[in-house]
Amino acid sequence: MKKTLAIILALCLGASMLAACGGSGSSAPASASVAGSTGSSAPEAKPVEIRVVTSYGGDDGNRANYEEAVAGYEAATGNTVVDESATSNEQWKAQVKADFQTGSEPDVLFFFTGTDASEFIKNGKVVSIEEIRKEYPDYASNMLDAAMPLSFVDAKAYAVPSSGYWEGMFVNKPVLADCGLEVPGPDTTWDEFMEMCETIKSKGYTPIACSLQEVPHYWFEFCILNQGDVAKHAEVPASGADEAGQRWVAGLNTLKEMYEKGYFPANTLTAGDADTFQMMADNKAAFAIDGSWKVGWFTGSEDAAGNVENIDDYTVTYVPGSGSRKATDIVGGISMGYYITEKAWSDPEKRDAAVQFVEYMTTDDMVNKFAGGAPTALKSGLPEAADTDSLHAAAVTMFNGKTGMASAVQDALNQTARGVLFASVKDVVTGTLAPEEAIETALATPLADS
């Protein structure tokens, strides 16, 4: 039975944000829209061809869903989709950006919502949801405006979001029990957590399963969040000396302290994520931070078995807090969505078709189908599963009990700056590089301001 990251999680996201936002607009003009919510009062247009680029390449788990959806859209509208989708990786990102630079951008693009899209937005290559709603008032009206990912360029929403994510702390309960400890809860402080790690270490276990070589960013996020609060978390420093920079310095110093105390695996500077995370399944480590997608690693799916013998031996909870940050303030958000390009918007023959395509792909049923249980921005959320395992149930409890949610600050850095910063973490924790210097070097990296 396939149960990727708690089917109810999207319901939790929708319910938690519903109070913050009402419906998006007024009645639309007479509609020829597939979704039935927007449209143009102009006479029905002849079928057109639109180019669409997504990350639903041949090896993507949603490829079959995407092909079925495209066929449905074509049958309903008579329009034709030229699909140029490929696998989401850095090469794909680079090709998409190159197409925009050469004027070869598609009509509709399914892409990231962080700094990777800033270049398109700065250059006026994609159309904001605000602008689209001037002609199509009900565009994306089934989404929570408060959950719309905002551009780092002008704080406007451009992409109609699909599924999202949360980050939390996975726990090996038998390891904790052998150490005489309880699972950290919503009131557990960072100091108490450090004491727990010391006890776990003294019993011969590794407190934290993490590869600082490959995936330092999860702990980086929460160590920084513990220096401030949800409202400030997305602030990127201009230098290591300003207010945001000092939070980053303090967060990196926290990682250094944890490393020096021996709370990470002995091979944390050389091993990969797969090896260190396996320590959770092997009952060698107590804690690991990862995202909502990692639930499936534990539970498995219809096509593959999970990586643990007894799912009830594991749970997910909040990362303990420090200072003004409550443990129940988490990291999460929505990282991809559908853009309509200016090229399609300015073409009278393609505008309706592009809007209809995005609407078709972002109906409640379609988003739920693609999300597979991940958090979404839908007002309606997802139907609750009647049968779920204990890990999914714990994830629902954790997510539903959050008091705040901050987007990952690493998403505010471009790929180049991120790579430089995270590659320096090993040098910071071993004391060969000062945190201030690591931050300054990353910020000064070419393209770091794009």
Side-chain angles (χ1 to χ4, degrees):
M1 178 170 52
K2 185 174 183 180
K3 288 195 178 12
T4 57
L5 101 95
I7 281 202
I8 324 170
L9 290 184
L11 175 63
C12 298
L13 179 61
S16 68
M17 304 180 85
L18 185 56
C21 171
S24 65
S26 58
S27 298
S31 175
S33 168
V34 177
S37 62
T38 68
S40 170
S41 56
E44 184 175 352
K46 295 180 180 179
V48 298
E49 179 179 276
I50 59 172
R51 287 179 56 230
V52 177
V53 169
T54 78
S55 60
Y56 298 126
D59 60 349
D60 188 278
N62 267 318
R63 180 62 191 178
N65 287 334
Y66 178 70
E67 290 178 347
E68 182 179 354
V70 168
Y73 165 80
E74 291 179 330
T77 64
N79 297 329
T80 300
V81 173
V82 177
D83 175 33
E84 298 180 3
S85 300
T87 301
S88 176
N89 55 29
E90 296 306 323
Q91 182 180 354
W92 175 72
K93 286 185 186 179
Q95 182 59 55
V96 169
K97 293 179 180 181
D99 286 344
F100 273 84
Q101 291 168 353
T102 60
S104 301
E105 65 267 27
D107 300 306
V108 176
L109 173 67
F110 181 72
F111 199 69
F112 296 96
T113 58
T115 54
D116 288 309
S118 293
E119 182 180 345
F120 315 151
I121 294 168
K122 284 181 180 178
N123 294 329
K125 294 285 190 176
V126 289
V127 187
S128 71
I129 291 174
E130 176 186 28
E131 183 68 20
I132 295 171
R133 283 177 173 171
K134 291 178 181 178
E135 288 202 34
Y136 302 85
D138 290 335
Y139 185 70
S141 61
N142 60 331
M143 302 286 173
L144 290 160
D145 283 351
M148 292 287 191
L150 303 181
S151 164
F152 289 107
V153 174
D154 56 11
K156 292 183 179 181
Y158 286 81
V160 181
S162 52
S163 60
Y165 70 97
W166 51 255
E167 295 177 9
M169 188 165 71
F170 293 90
V171 181
N172 183 307
K173 295 194 288 186
V175 169
L176 288 193
D178 192 44
C179 297
L181 300 171
E182 299 290 332
V183 174
D187 298 319
T188 303
T189 67
W190 186 260
D191 288 340
E192 291 170 338
F193 178 63
M194 290 293 97
E195 293 175 3
M196 294 177 69
C197 287
E198 189 62 34
T199 298
I200 294 165
K201 177 187 172 186
S202 69
K203 287 284 289 185
Y205 296 101
T206 295
I208 297 167
C210 174
S211 165
L212 292 180
Q213 152 77 14
E214 189 173 346
V215 287
H217 49 279
Y218 297 117
W219 288 95
F220 169 85
E221 290 289 341
F222 282 93
C223 285
I224 290 176
L225 186 56
N226 271 346
Q227 312 306 319
D229 54 38
V230 168
K232 295 181 178 180
H233 189 61
E235 295 178 5
V236 176
S239 72
D242 64 17
E243 183 180 350
Q246 285 300 293
R247 291 197 298 270
W248 284 30
V249 168
L252 287 169
N253 277 329
T254 299
L255 278 175
K256 182 174 183 289
E257 177 185 359
M258 295 163 67
Y259 173 79
E260 291 173 342
K261 289 184 175 181
Y263 295 162
F264 293 113
N267 61 349
T268 188
L269 301 181
T270 57
D273 178 52
D275 290 333
T276 54
F277 207 92
Q278 182 62 32
M279 297 176 73
M280 294 289 288
D282 295 339
N283 293 324
K284 294 180 179 179
F287 305 115
I289 294 181
D290 214 305
S292 44
W293 49 84
K294 203 70 171 186
V295 172
W297 183 91
F298 289 90
T299 63
S301 66
E302 293 177 350
D303 302 319
N307 288 276
V308 299
E309 291 186 8
N310 184 4
I311 195 63
D312 294 331
D313 286 342
Y314 300 86
T315 190
V316 62
T317 187
Y318 304 103
V319 178
S322 179
S324 61
R325 181 235 158 190
K326 299 177 182 178
T328 47
D329 291 339
I330 69 172
V331 173
I334 295 177
S335 57
M336 293 190 80
Y338 288 91
Y339 297 83
I340 292 178
T341 65
E342 178 61 32
K343 175 183 285 189
W345 184 250
S346 61
D347 186 333
E349 293 185 354
K350 291 190 175 183
R351 179 181 291 190
D352 268 357
V355 169
Q356 290 170 1
F357 182 81
V358 174
E359 286 185 316
Y360 190 89
M361 300 301 294
T362 57
T363 63
D364 287 21
D365 288 344
M366 197 68 73
V367 169
N368 291 342
K369 185 175 184 178
F370 276 73
T376 73
L378 292 173
K379 292 176 181 178
S380 63
L382 287 174
E384 183 172 344
D387 57 337
T388 188
D389 57 73
S390 61
L391 182 59
H392 279 94
V396 171
T397 300
M398 185 271 296
F399 189 83
N400 194 40
K402 69 186 184 306
T403 51
M405 187 165 69
S407 297
V409 70
Q410 66 162 317
D411 291 343
L413 295 172
N414 66 39
Q415 174 198 350
T416 309
R418 283 196 302 266
V420 170
L421 179 62
F422 292 138
S424 70
V425 169
K426 294 189 298 180
D427 294 328
V428 170
V429 299
T430 54
T432 60
L433 181 67
E436 294 88 348
E437 185 177 350
I439 294 168
E440 297 281 359
T441 300
L443 294 175
T445 301
L447 299 180
D449 62 346
S450 64

